[in-house]
Amino acid sequence: MDFSFNDEQQMLLDTTQRFLASEYGFDQRRKLLESDEGWSRGVWKQLGELGLLAIDIPEADGGIAAGPVGVMLVAQAVGHGLLLEPFLSSAIVATRAIVQIASDAQRARWLPALASGERIAVLAHDEAGAGIDFTRLGTRATRDAQGFSLSGSKSVVYHAPMADLYLVSARVDDGSLGLFAVAADAAGITRHALRTVDGQRAADLDFDKVRLDADARLGADVGDALASVIDCAIAALCAETFGVLDRILKATIEYSRARKQFGTPIGSFQALQHRMADMLIQFEQARSMMYLATERCSDTDAGARRASISGAKALIGQAARFIGQQAVQLHGGMGMTDELDVSHCFKRLLAFELRMGTTDEHLEIYRRGLQAE
């Protein structure tokens, strides 16, 4: 694979990095994290003005069509910045779902507002007890003369408290898998807000006979398209996590050079050098897996695509745990305090292992993929 970046891709990465470095410093982020809202609508609008919320929207729909590599680069910078705003949830996952599944009229209705940051959409798909199998849905959409009646529950929907639109997956009474656009303030929705382990905002959603018009449904039987959306979302999450790994590794190396013991920088101790060398090996393996997951987003073989991306998610999950734990240990007790960004990185890495399927679940998918070859 050739992952040298062209001028446009490099400019996209540089723009994102400069913005986050100047507008999203550690102190500002801590204030947002501790606030009631947990994010900044002003920052979100600025991301829209920079065009970063339109990177996965085709040019025909007013986007910049950066493709999987462009998404990877921006997600990597977003991860390095530990962004609390719903970049992955709205600008990548929900936006891609609309691009791949929605009708022309639905795309024209929602994509411009999502690209500008005026609206936020999230995919409400995961359900308690369903695990990584996205076809196991307890949520039901019953057809009637007026449209549909939606009932069921969704678990830990990232950034649901700030969203205007929910894209809700449900099993339709004809047996097909449907995706429905539901206004966040629709009657019959109960939202139970929560914070994830890394401080991001999420919610459990209950739908009790929510009335939907017929045109609220996106596409027909969306099983294959939704699988593609989820796979590419996992690839973007891997890229975001690689950015976190880059940040925590650099912070650890810098600390080892500045922290002195017995009058000598601890980074000069051979035992600690061996640890950091092992961290670097894991880091470079994670980079390769990020590239692999990005490349596989365009694979039309659903089984091969899912196996490769699951393999990448599993290996990056192992790297996240190893590098995160080593970084905290090398910092000592201070590594778990909120005064150092290493603790914030560690929590984000821990959340990665649990989000969109655990490391063990993706290892099992990869194993089944190898057996199928």
Side-chain angles (χ1 to χ4, degrees), residues 273-331:
Q273 289 177 351
H274 288 169
R275 283 199 187 192
M276 286 182 280
D278 290 339
M279 292 168 68
L280 182 59
I281 291 172
Q282 293 276 346
F283 177 76
E284 292 300 333
Q285 289 178 337
R287 186 199 303 274
S288 297
M289 290 299 101
M290 174 185 67
Y291 288 162
L292 174 64
T294 300
E295 194 268 341
R296 286 291 188 267
C297 285
S298 303
D299 197 333
T300 56
D301 185 332
R305 182 187 66 231
R306 169 51 66 92
S308 295
I309 291 177
S310 286
K313 174 74 161 65
L315 192 143
I316 294 174
Q318 292 172 345
R321 174 166 296 195
F322 179 83
I323 293 174
Q325 290 176 343
Q326 295 298 321
V328 169
Q329 290 179 14
L330 288 167
H331 278 80

Side-chain angles (χ1 to χ4, degrees), residues 44-45 48 53 57 61 90 95 107-121 164:
W44 188 247
K45 288 292 183 66
L53 304 184
I57 297 177
D61 293 304
S90 182
T95 296
R107 289 154 68 110
R109 177 183 178 186
W110 292 313
L111 289 180
L114 292 175
S116 67
E118 294 176 13
R119 301 189 74 176
I120 294 171
D164 309 294

Side-chain angles (χ1 to χ4, degrees), residues 248 252 255 275 279 322-337 342-343 345-347:
I248 198 172
T252 303
Y255 178 79
R275 283 199 187 192
M279 292 168 68
F322 179 83
I323 293 174
Q325 290 176 343
Q326 295 298 321
V328 169
Q329 290 179 14
L330 288 167
H331 278 80
M334 291 182 61
M336 291 304 295
T337 63
V342 65
S343 71
C345 292
F346 179 80
K347 292 172 185 176

